């Protein structure tokens, strides 16, 4: 699917970007060029130690910011596929620095769309988050706005052969800044208890590898305008703490500003625009001048979800257990992990 093509990933030095590069170099050895676009010079230096250009001549590292439209346009010259992973993601940081969050997550999305149009890119897949669904935080609101910008971009493409879609998923297991590395680090530093925001709190769970697989599925199957939502398990935050350190006390500290008790990925109001593809759902654009709902159903060989359907972490039918979390931590986060 990507052999012979030029691929650019924004935010390419983040957790997802590093895994994406690893998977593409492994599964698509004949990719023509893979461009890591990010603003972090030091993070690019670190990536070059793992994947040096001397060993991987198809790799390119470009320092740039999605806020800089001209730089992005230049970077997208000759590009066939854009994976847009750049974002300001910390909920509390976004609340305290709202203008910066908007510049990156909203204006940056607009710049990616414009650059893709100008440079005649063929496919654009943007990464989203469960926090974009019925958002209560600025981060979630900016990502919902970004989602709407990308899905609506299909309506203004004119005669250009380009398709825009989105993937929306939950907490990524082991990603930088997430709860598992935090708990493990606290234990290693001798913590006597672990902070739990709320004992009832639940979240969706996805691994980096699964996140990349969803992006690749979207890239290979999208008609344009879909928001792809994977069917993934939920976990209780207290079970994560127990999986890591069963002998440590769990101290409830309260929910942070802009944080939800449970996360949703599809709300009831979106059910009328949602179809079931088997391994995932797709939320269709409420306004589309390109395709009808019937076109999407036929293209994906999908079925409509029932009236009143919602997909939320606390009502999910698939759950991680303490043991399954331990196994996944060993497999996807730290192969040397031992219960602390």
């Amino acid at each position: 699917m990507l052999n012979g093509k030029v691929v650019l990933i924004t935010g390419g030095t983040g957790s997802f970007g590093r895994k994406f590069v690893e998977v593409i170099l492994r599964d698509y050895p004949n990719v023509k060029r893979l461009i890591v676009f990010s603003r972090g010079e030091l993070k690019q230096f670190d990536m070059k130690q793992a994947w040096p250009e001397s060993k991987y001549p198809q790799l390119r590292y470009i320092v740039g910011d999605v806020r800089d439209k001209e730089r992005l346009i230049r970077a997208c010259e000759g590009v066939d596929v854009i994976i847009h992973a750049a974002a300001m993601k910390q909920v509390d940081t976004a609340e305290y620095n709202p203008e910066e969050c908007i510049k990156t997550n909203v204006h940056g999305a607009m710049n990616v769309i414009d650059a893709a149009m100008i440079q005649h890119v063929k496919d654009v897949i943007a990464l989203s988050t469960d926090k974009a669904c019925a958002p209560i935080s600025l981060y979630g609101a900016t990502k919902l706005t970004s989602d709407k910008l990308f899905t609506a971009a299909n309506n203004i493409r004119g005669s250009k052969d380009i398709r825009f879609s989105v993937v929306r998923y939950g907490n990524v297991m082991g990603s930088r800044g997430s709860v598992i590395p935090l708990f493990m680090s606290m234990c290693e530093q001798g913590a006597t208890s672990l902070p739990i925001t709320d004992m009832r709190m639940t979240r969706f769970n996805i691994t980096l590898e699964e996140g990349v697989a969803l992006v690749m599925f979207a890239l290979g199957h999208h008609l344009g305008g879909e928001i792809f939502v994977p069917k993934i398990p939920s976990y209780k935050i207290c079970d994560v703490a127990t999986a890591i350190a069963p002998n440590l006390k769990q101290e409830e500290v309260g929910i942070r500003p802009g944080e939800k008790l449970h996360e949703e990925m599809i709300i009831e109001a979106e059910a009328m625009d949602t179809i079931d593809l088997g391994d995932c759902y797709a939320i269709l654009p409420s306004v589309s001048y390109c395709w009808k709902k019937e076109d999407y159903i036929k293209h994906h060989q999908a079925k409509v979800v029932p009236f009143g359907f919602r997909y939320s972490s606390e009502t999910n039918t698939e759950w991680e257990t303490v043991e399954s979390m331990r196994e996944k931590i060993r497999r996807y986060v730290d192969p040397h992990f031992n219960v602390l």
Side-chain angles (χ1 to χ4, degrees):
M1 181 165 52
L2 293 182
N3 285 327
K5 293 188 177 180
V6 179
V7 182
L8 180 143
I9 176 167
T10 69
T13 54
S15 298
F16 177 88
R18 291 179 67 93
K19 177 59 68 172
F20 182 80
V21 168
E22 176 188 322
V23 170
I24 298 310
L25 293 177
R26 181 191 71 201
D27 296 347
Y28 298 92
N30 294 319
V31 64
K32 185 176 180 181
R33 192 156 68 252
L34 179 55
I35 303 169
V36 175
F37 183 91
S38 73
R39 63 184 181 181
E41 178 188 9
L42 179 58
K43 289 183 179 180
Q44 287 196 10
F45 175 81
D46 291 339
M47 279 191 73
K48 288 178 183 180
Q49 309 313 301
W51 298 289
E53 292 166 294
S54 58
K55 185 176 179 180
Y56 300 96
Q58 65 271 57
L59 264 179
R60 296 289 187 278
Y61 294 92
I62 296 180
V63 175
D65 195 321
V66 292
R67 300 180 181 192
D68 186 341
K69 183 175 176 179
E70 294 304 316
R71 180 64 168 164
L72 197 55
I73 290 172
R74 185 182 303 176
C76 288
E77 184 176 354
V79 167
D80 299 299
V81 176
I82 296 175
I83 308 300
H84 178 48
M88 187 171 174
K89 299 176 177 131
Q90 293 297 317
V91 171
D92 51 350
T93 301
E95 295 295 322
Y96 191 66
N97 303 274
E99 299 95 337
E100 300 303 305
C101 183
I102 292 168
K103 287 175 186 176
T104 297
N105 295 355
V106 178
H107 298 167
M110 296 170 65
N111 290 340
V112 169
I113 292 167
D114 287 344
M117 293 274 202
I118 291 168
Q119 296 292 16
H120 302 283
V121 175
K122 299 294 184 183
D123 293 278
V124 180
I125 304 295
L127 272 61
S128 186
T129 169
D130 48 10
K131 293 173 180 61
C133 183
I136 63 168
S137 65
L138 180 71
Y139 167 56
T142 60
K143 292 304 288 182
L144 175 60
T145 304
S146 172
D147 293 355
K148 293 293 186 180
L149 287 167
F150 279 104
T151 56
N154 294 279
N155 292 331
I156 58 171
R157 62 179 185 158
S159 60
K160 295 181 179 67
D161 181 19
I162 185 172
R163 295 175 296 172
F164 298 87
S165 292
V166 175
V167 297
R168 174 190 290 177
Y169 50 73
N171 286 24
V172 179
M173 188 171 188
S175 62
R176 284 193 291 251
S178 63
V179 69
I180 291 174
L182 171 64
F183 283 171
M184 293 174 71
S185 175
M186 291 182 67
C187 290
E188 290 169 0
Q189 294 172 21
T192 57
S193 65
L194 293 179
I196 307 296
T197 47
D198 192 296
M199 294 298 179
R200 300 165 295 170
M201 181 172 282
T202 64
R203 289 292 183 266
F204 287 104
N205 189 41
I206 190 170
T207 67
L208 283 169
E209 190 92 18
E210 290 168 337
V212 173
L214 178 65
V215 168
M216 297 308 296
F217 175 84
L219 189 59
H221 295 83
H222 73 141
L223 193 56
E226 303 99 327
I227 299 176
F228 292 92
V229 178
K231 297 179 180 179
I232 51 179
S234 296
Y235 62 72
K236 297 178 181 178
I237 189 67
C238 56
D239 284 348
V240 176
T242 301
I244 293 171
N247 297 319
L248 285 190
K249 178 184 176 182
Q250 297 178 11
E251 183 179 357
E252 195 168 73
V253 296
I255 294 176
R256 295 178 299 176
E259 195 172 37
K260 291 183 181 180
L261 185 60
H262 308 291
E263 290 289 2
E264 297 171 295
M265 285 208 280
I266 303 174
I267 58 174
E268 187 174 334
E270 293 173 312
M272 65 182 70
D273 295 319
T274 301
I275 57 176
D276 187 339
L277 281 62
D279 292 332
C280 67
Y281 302 103
I283 304 170
L284 308 179
S286 55
V287 177
S288 175
Y289 294 99
C290 303
W291 303 280
K292 298 178 181 178
K293 186 175 183 178
E294 293 74 20
D295 298 325
Y296 287 105
I297 293 172
K298 181 179 179 181
H299 175 78
H300 292 292
Q301 299 182 347
K303 60 182 180 181
V304 297
V305 300
F307 178 79
F309 172 83
R310 64 187 289 265
Y311 189 34
S312 183
S313 62
E314 87 279 15
T315 58
N316 199 359
T317 57
E318 185 180 355
W319 286 84
E320 300 281 11
T321 64
V322 170
E323 286 303 320
S324 71
M325 288 300 296
R326 283 178 184 155
E327 177 57 31
K328 286 190 173 182
I329 290 170
R330 292 189 183 100
R331 183 174 180 183
Y332 298 108
V333 181
D334 182 358
H336 306 294
F337 165 74
N338 289 311
V339 176
L340 302 172

